[in-house]
């Protein structure tokens, strides 16, 4: 099972839940930190990193002697990564989405491609968990290629937990796409409810089965619970506000370090996710 841990809002506890689920699993498990702009799963797992690899993407290179300034490439590019000024074509690699279309439409063959490094992927182990994380280089904006590089390490024979970026834009979509089931982490606040609704719409557009985990469940109101009841969305777990958890988090310790009594309930979340994957409502 590929289980995506996502949310519409940042700071709801995705990494906290992802790490805890990986540690609570009673089967081979991999944790993939797909929040490549600010990966922090390693803080709590402290893995032994065994392999590092760079992530590269192809970007266009212009042969000025062959370029005629016909503007076909710049007209084709939907991201304004190429601009034709007279007989000279400029490339803005930061805007390039590496689709390769410009090389296809150039009538003189003036465009080739070169690799551009944008990030890295690290692989290791900790406490019986296979750990893979991506990290986008400072100054780069295109995180989806790094997320896809992380997902290339998915082992189909193990439980895979994907710690996804917040929001509902391209990075989150890239991370949750092809997952078997998603868990949306939220909090009982107006912002939490607002962004949960956006995440729910996204899951439904993707046709992905999902449930909800409410973090700090007793720290706000009951609007999230009422919304889930109205929309027939299963609440898989409610984690109450607990000072022990906050103190452990500040020390870089996991949820299970602070509240080991949650282990059976976290395993129940994995069981419920399996039921959702099969198209059944969690019991």
């Amino acid at each position: 099972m590929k289980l995506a841990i996502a949310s519409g809002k940042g700071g709801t506890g995705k990494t906290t839940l992802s790490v805890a689920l990986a540690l609570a699993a009673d089967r081979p498990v991999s944790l993939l930190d797909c929040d490549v702009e600010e990966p922090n799963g390693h803080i709590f797992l402290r893995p032994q990193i065994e392999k590092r690899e760079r992530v590269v993407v192809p970007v266009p290179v212009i042969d000025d002697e062959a370029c005629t300034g016909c503007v076909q490439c710049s007209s084709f590019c939907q991201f304004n990564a190429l601009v034709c000024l007279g007989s000279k074509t400029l490339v803005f690699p930061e805007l390039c989405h590496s689709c390769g279309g410009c090389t296809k439409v150039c009538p003189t063959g003036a465009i080739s491609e070169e690799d551009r490094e944008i990030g890295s992927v690290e692989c290791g182990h900790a406490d019986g968990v296979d750990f893979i994380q991506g990290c986008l280089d400072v100054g780069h904006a295109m995180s989806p290629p790094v997320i896809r590089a992380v997902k290339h390490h998915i082992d189909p024979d193990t439980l895979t937990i994907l710690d996804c970026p917040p929001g509902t834009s391209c990075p989150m979509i890239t991370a949750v796409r092809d997952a078997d089931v998603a868990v949306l982490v939220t909090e009982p606040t107006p912002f939490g409810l607002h962004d949960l609704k956006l995440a729910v719409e996204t899951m439904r557009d993707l046709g992905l089965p999902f449930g909800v985990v409410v973090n700090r469940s007793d720290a706000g109101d009951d609007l999230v619970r009422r919304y889930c009841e109205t929309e027939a969305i299963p609440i898989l777990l409610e984690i109450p506000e607990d000072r022990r958890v906050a103190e452990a988090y500040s020390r870089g310790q996991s949820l299970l370090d602070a509240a080991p009594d949650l282990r059976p309930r976290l395993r129940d979340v994995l069981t419920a996710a399996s039921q959702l994957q099969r198209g059944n409502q969690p019991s």
Side-chain angles (χ1 to χ4, degrees), residues 12-277:
T12 57
K14 292 183 299 301
T15 298
T16 298
L17 181 65
S18 299
V19 171
L21 287 173
L23 292 174
D26 56 357
R27 69 193 88 169
V29 59
S30 299
L31 175 60
L32 275 58
D33 194 339
C34 296
D35 192 2
V36 301
E37 294 183 60
E38 46 182 350
N40 59 355
H42 66 280
I43 296 174
F44 306 98
L45 277 180
R46 298 182 180 87
Q48 181 67 40
I49 300 299
E50 301 165 350
K51 184 175 68 172
R52 293 179 175 86
E53 60 188 46
R54 295 294 291 166
V55 179
V56 298
V57 294
V59 296
V61 177
I62 310 298
D63 181 346
D64 291 333
E65 293 184 359
C67 179
T68 63
C70 68
V71 308
Q72 289 195 40
C73 60
S74 60
S75 298
F76 174 85
C77 183
Q78 299 298 301
F79 303 101
N80 300 314
L82 299 111
V83 175
C84 294
L85 301 173
S87 61
K88 187 174 181 60
T89 300
L90 302 179
V91 177
F92 297 93
E94 297 84 2
L95 300 178
C96 178
H97 282 57
S98 303
C99 71
C102 56
T103 65
K104 304 295 185 184
V105 301
C106 179
T108 63
I111 303 179
S112 58
E113 292 181 323
E114 67 178 7
D115 287 338
R116 180 171 185 253
E117 294 187 352
I118 64 169
S120 60
V121 174
E122 297 180 333
C123 307
H125 296 84
D127 295 327
V129 177
D130 290 334
F131 179 75
I132 300 97
Q133 72 172 2
C135 186
L136 185 70
D137 286 350
V138 174
H140 294 273
M142 299 296 176
S143 62
V146 182
I147 296 172
R148 286 192 287 269
V150 172
K151 294 177 69 177
H152 286 162
H153 293 270
I154 290 177
D155 184 346
D157 296 326
T158 68
L159 167 65
T160 299
I161 297 174
L162 302 158
D163 184 6
C164 300
T168 55
S169 60
C170 292
M172 184 265 214
I173 299 296
T174 303
V176 303
R177 190 182 299 277
D178 303 323
D180 297 313
V181 64
V183 171
L184 303 179
V185 186
T186 189
E187 57 189 21
T189 64
F191 284 129
L193 176 59
H194 174 272
D195 292 347
L196 173 64
K197 291 179 179 179
L198 297 178
V200 166
E201 292 176 9
T202 302
M203 295 302 105
R204 288 173 172 167
D205 286 343
L206 293 173
L208 197 63
F210 65 94
V212 166
V213 167
V214 184
N215 195 15
R216 297 185 287 272
S217 58
D218 56 350
D221 51 42
D222 65 342
L223 293 180
V224 167
R225 188 178 297 106
R226 287 160 52 189
Y227 166 75
C228 290
E229 291 174 354
T230 301
E231 295 291 324
I233 300 170
I235 296 180
L236 309 181
L237 178 65
E238 296 187 37
I239 304 173
E241 182 80 14
D242 191 331
R243 184 182 177 90
R244 296 177 301 164
V245 176
E247 291 178 351
Y249 190 91
S250 70
R251 294 190 295 264
Q253 296 177 319
S254 73
L255 175 64
L256 284 178
D257 289 326
D261 53 296
L262 284 176
R263 186 180 298 270
R265 297 171 62 192
L266 290 167
R267 288 181 175 173
D268 289 342
V269 171
L270 295 175
T271 300
S274 297
Q275 293 173 343
L276 286 170
Q277 178 188 1

